Amino acid sequence: MKIQELFDGVYRIGEDIATLNLTPGKRVYGEKLVRWGGKEYRLWNPYRSKLAAAIRLGLEQLPLGKSAKVLYLGAAQGTTASHVSDIAREGVVYCVEFSPRAMQSLLALAEARENIIPILADASKPESYSYLLEKVDVVYQDIAQAKQSEILLKNVRAYLKEDGHFMHVIKARSIDVTAKPEEVFEKEVKKLKEAGLEVIQKLRLEPYEKDHLFVLGRA
């Protein structure tokens, strides 16, 4: 078996991608564990994680590392956040989630992973969790609200370090179900550029996710 490091903390194992398990022996969402060379890796399912899908589809940069500080907006039950936690093993992942039900899963995840900080809050009101946060290296957003780009911009302005990066999952159907996804994507990306953000790469997430655009950028 051949293991290749694609990015800092992200590996290719055969046809799969994986992260080094921060909590050996423990699964988060039923993922397969692979042991090799005295280490344990968690296979990263691109059908369950939009970041994994982006990596599989040719993401050119991954602005994460072992000491990264990350603000994750829309962490849900923590599937992707757990892999970010693996990568930023000496950093911290602030996980903002609005659903109390999903927060229960995040709380359980945080018990096992000390670098995950769960925050029950509305991402559209970044001032509501300012007492918990510091400036971060990366803002990652995956939310289903209509004003997705506006919410991202609020959090970038409040918490992202100068020259920090953002990863933004644009969900066309959550913004305007009547418009063509391509038109929605164009409008949303234009908002980011007009706000002074640099767009580095755009990736459609088919076949893993329909009508989703993954945007990598920098402040």
Side-chain angles (χ1 to χ4, degrees):
M1 180 171 60
K2 182 179 179 182
I3 296 181
Q4 174 191 2
E5 190 167 22
L6 298 176
F7 300 109
D8 188 8
V10 179
Y11 305 85
R12 183 183 299 281
I13 302 177
E15 296 299 315
D16 298 303
I17 60 172
T19 54
L20 189 65
N21 195 356
L22 183 65
T23 55
K26 294 183 179 180
R27 294 175 171 85
V28 175
Y29 57 100
E31 69 277 17
K32 184 177 179 182
L33 304 181
V34 175
R35 293 177 178 84
W36 183 257
K39 298 179 179 179
E40 183 178 89
Y41 301 85
R42 301 169 56 227
L43 297 192
W44 198 352
N45 186 342
Y47 288 98
R48 299 284 300 275
S49 168
K50 300 173 189 72
L51 181 52
I55 293 170
R56 289 291 295 267
L57 291 168
L59 186 66
E60 295 170 359
Q61 300 178 34
L62 184 63
L64 297 171
K66 65 179 182 180
S67 301
K69 296 177 180 178
V70 183
L71 173 57
Y72 193 125
L73 306 172
Q77 287 84 11
T79 297
T80 298
S82 69
H83 287 282
V84 174
S85 163
D86 283 344
I87 299 166
R89 51 201 316 108
E90 296 176 12
V92 61
V93 187
Y94 297 98
C95 292
V96 176
E97 175 53 46
F98 185 67
S99 165
R101 191 168 189 174
M103 180 56 59
Q104 296 303 313
S105 297
L106 274 179
L107 288 169
L109 189 63
E111 288 183 5
R113 293 169 172 266
E114 293 183 356
N115 65 347
I116 285 184
I117 308 297
I119 302 171
L120 181 63
D122 183 347
S124 69
K125 300 174 181 178
E127 67 280 0
S128 69
Y129 40 90
S130 61
Y131 68 100
L132 288 168
L133 256 69
E134 58 191 315
K135 290 288 185 176
V136 298
D137 304 295
V138 178
V139 174
Y140 184 98
Q141 179 169 288
D142 181 6
I143 62 174
Q145 297 185 49
K147 295 186 178 295
Q148 293 167 28
S149 294
E150 290 85 349
I151 292 169
L152 175 78
L153 288 168
K154 283 184 181 181
N155 282 274
V156 162
R157 288 166 181 153
Y159 301 116
L160 189 60
K161 293 178 181 177
E162 186 177 352
D163 293 327
H165 289 78
F166 67 89
M167 291 181 277
H168 180 24
V169 180
I170 301 175
K171 304 180 180 185
R173 297 302 181 189
S174 296
I175 295 170
D176 188 346
V177 73
T178 65
K180 293 181 180 179
E182 293 77 12
E183 294 174 354
V184 175
F185 296 148
E186 184 177 349
K187 288 180 180 178
E188 295 302 301
V189 170
K190 185 179 179 181
K191 291 176 185 177
L192 302 180
K193 291 180 177 178
E194 288 179 344
L197 300 184
E198 177 188 354
V199 173
I200 297 171
Q201 189 180 10
K202 300 175 290 182
L203 286 167
R204 288 289 295 264
L205 295 185
E206 286 86 355
Y208 303 109
E209 293 284 352
K210 186 178 180 182
D211 301 332
H212 285 59
L213 183 75
F214 188 96
V215 181
L216 168 67
R218 181 166 46 219

